[in-house]
């Protein structure tokens, strides 16, 4: 497995340009999410996770909205998919939420990624719906 690291950051950090470029590549360019949907008021107050390769290049990201008990904006560059980056980001997001006293974590999964989230214990809680022109389902993970 190729080495990578994960850093917790904020939208106000010097890392923000790297985070923004990564999200543009994964969501706006690759998945055709409209820019007006990708950028929202939650970025300013969210906890952001950024994964880096051994050369400190951004390769993956996730966004935690503690007040809403949600994780989202999870993306990994195509070349790094299937190498554990997304799972590591998700596990770190769960650990942060547990440490902050949350009892569950919600997310909106693209339907092709349902099995990925199920491996981490998430369960589907809604019918499929379209968001940003992509099919999604709501999922939740609860812990004691």
């Amino acid at each position: 497995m190729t080495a990578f690291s994960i850093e917790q950051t904020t939208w106000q950090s010097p890392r923000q340009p790297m985070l923004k470029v990564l999200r543009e590549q994964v969501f706006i360019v690759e998945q055709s999410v409209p820019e007006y949907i990708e950028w929202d008021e939650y970025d300013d107050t969210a906890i952001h996770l950024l994964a880096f390769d051994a050369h400190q290049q951004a390769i993956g990201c996730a966004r935690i909205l503690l007040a809403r008990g949600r994780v989202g904006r999870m993306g990994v560059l195509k070349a790094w998919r299937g190498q554990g980056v997304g799972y590591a980001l998700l596990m770190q997001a769960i650990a942060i939420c547990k440490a902050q006293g949350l009892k569950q974590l919600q997310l909106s999964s693209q339907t092709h990624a349902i099995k990925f989230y199920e491996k981490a214990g998430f369960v589907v809680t809604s019918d499929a719906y379209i968001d940003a022109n992509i099919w999604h389902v709501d999922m939740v993970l609860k812990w004691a």
Side-chain angles (χ1 to χ4, degrees), residues 7 14 27-28 39 63 69 91 94 104 107 112 115 133:
E7 182 180 303
F27 299 116
I28 296 171
W39 312 121
R63 180 176 82 171
M91 291 299 104
I94 292 167
Q104 69 176 32
L107 57 82
H112 72 84
K115 294 216 179 304
N133 301 316

Side-chain angles (χ1 to χ4, degrees), residues 3 17 30 35-36 64 70-71 83 86 92-93 100 105 121 134:
E30 185 182 328
E35 275 194 67
Y36 76 90
I64 304 165
R70 294 188 68 83
V71 65
Q83 297 184 52
Q92 187 153 340
Q100 291 294 322
L105 188 57
I134 301 168

Side-chain angles (χ1 to χ4, degrees), residues 9-63:
T9 189
T10 66
W11 201 245
Q12 295 75 27
S13 131
R15 298 286 203 191
Q16 190 246 26
M18 295 175 92
L19 178 58
K20 199 166 183 184
V21 165
L22 188 131
R23 281 176 47 186
E24 285 172 349
Q25 178 59 39
V26 172
F27 299 116
I28 296 171
V29 174
E30 185 182 328
Q31 297 183 358
S32 301
V33 172
E35 275 194 67
Y36 76 90
I37 292 175
E38 180 58 28
W39 312 121
D40 63 27
E41 69 275 16
Y42 298 112
D43 281 324
D44 283 340
T45 56
I47 295 171
H48 296 272
L49 299 177
L50 200 49
F52 295 95
D53 67 11
H55 305 289
Q56 288 297 294
Q57 297 299 306
I59 58 169
C61 64
R63 180 176 82 171

